[in-house]
Amino acid sequence: MKRTVKRSAAWFLASLTILMTGPLLMAVSGGLHGAESWQTASRESADIAPKPEAFDDAVIQVYGARAWSWRGYFAVHTWIATKKKGATQYRVHEVTGWRHYVVSSRPSIPDRRWYGAEPTLYADIRGKAAAKLIPEIYQAVQRYPYPTEYEAWPGPNSNTFTAWVIRDVPGLEVALPNHAIGKDYLGDRLIAAVPGGSGYQFSLGGYFGLLAGVREGLEVNILGLSLGINPMALGIKLPGLGELALRNPNTMAEAAD
């Protein structure tokens, strides 16, 4: 009996160490946010998105950036930016937790830094494909089932919103990174299609789950922290650190403007 308890304790401590190594490394690096406070943190463009005045065609881009403060040790905040053909500005669709109605869909800078954190472009769809999907994205944003609910962990949160919209728009198919905590929150459902389009995931309220998809690879979710492998991207997924990969499995524009 004592040996069983010791082995169980050893496995628990080993698992906890693996799960927390990435967030601890992010914490000791001390390089997440350069500003002293969120009021002074940069919200300027990172100059990733094509300028509307120079690019007339439709654009859809999916971004993520490290969450503010200690949350950034664990997770990213994600959002979707769209520009219709001929439009002079982008609309940014995201969820923020400091208001009663948490969904925001408004004209804004698509590649804005998230309170000092540099954004990462996950997917970039342009032209006719983007023009076809943008109206459906608008409708999906309106259908989001948790417009007045927000829980940083395990969800619903900003990443729950992004994943939900992607799933709800056939053909969008964007794999989100494993450290987008909340993307695996499925509400009352246990099984759903993965955001990447080809595959499925099982989730118990976002606390525990399994995911297998062509774009996402394989992920194991333990208390919201995910790890796994991605053969298509030639990468591994680590809690806090995200996906360390050689390829991007998502659709990207052939040339940036």
Side-chain angles (χ1 to χ4, degrees):
M1 182 66 178
K2 290 183 178 180
R3 288 183 179 180
T4 302
V5 172
K6 287 182 179 179
R7 287 176 182 174
S8 298
W11 275 107
F12 174 79
L13 290 174
S15 300
L16 185 62
T17 299
I18 293 172
L19 290 173
M20 293 302 296
T21 295
L24 287 173
L25 288 174
M26 294 301 302
V28 300
S29 70
L32 283 183
H33 300 285
E36 294 180 0
S37 69
W38 66 268
Q39 291 98 331
T40 58
S42 174
R43 295 282 280 146
E44 299 298 318
S45 169
D47 293 323
I48 298 173
K51 305 299 182 185
E53 61 271 18
F55 191 81
D56 184 69
D57 243 334
V59 180
I60 298 171
Q61 294 185 320
V62 181
Y63 287 95
R66 287 283 172 178
W68 173 252
S69 188
W70 61 268
R71 294 180 180 87
Y73 304 150
F74 296 87
V76 293
H77 165 81
T78 60
W79 65 93
I80 301 171
T82 60
K83 183 186 80 68
K84 292 183 177 180
K85 180 178 175 63
T88 58
Q89 58 188 345
Y90 285 81
R91 290 191 71 88
V92 173
H93 316 275
E94 64 184 340
V95 154
T96 52
W98 50 76
R99 62 186 77 188
H100 174 69
Y101 188 81
V102 299
V103 178
S104 174
S105 180
R106 69 194 189 285
S108 187
I109 299 171
D111 51 1
R112 174 175 281 172
R113 290 173 173 83
W114 184 249
Y115 298 98
E118 194 81 8
T120 297
L121 178 64
Y122 299 140
D124 188 349
I125 305 168
R126 305 185 188 184
K128 292 182 179 180
K132 179 182 178 181
L133 294 172
I134 287 174
E136 298 185 40
I137 290 175
Y138 281 22
Q139 294 172 21
V141 169
Q142 295 298 318
R143 290 193 296 265
Y144 179 61
Y146 315 109
T148 60
E149 298 178 47
Y150 184 91
E151 293 290 342
W153 174 86
N157 59 23
S158 62
N159 299 321
T160 308
F161 168 80
T162 303
W164 193 94
V165 171
I166 292 171
R167 288 192 194 95
D168 199 53
V169 177
L172 188 51
E173 298 182 358
V174 178
L176 296 176
N178 63 297
H179 58 334
I181 293 177
K183 72 179 179 66
D184 300 320
Y185 180 84
L186 304 179
D188 295 333
R189 293 181 296 170
L190 293 178
I191 298 175
V194 296
S198 298
Y200 291 91
Q201 65 181 110
F202 165 80
S203 179
L204 291 174
Y207 295 103
F208 299 96
L210 297 171
L211 179 152
V214 173
R215 294 179 188 271
E216 285 93 345
L218 301 173
E219 291 182 17
V220 178
N221 172 6
I222 303 173
L223 296 177
L225 299 174
S226 296
L227 65 161
I229 59 172
N230 191 337
M232 184 176 180
L234 299 180
I236 60 172
K237 305 178 178 211
L238 300 173
L241 297 178
E243 187 166 327
L244 308 178
L246 298 178
R247 298 175 181 171
N248 185 343
N250 294 316
T251 300
M252 299 293 285
E254 293 184 0
D257 285 37

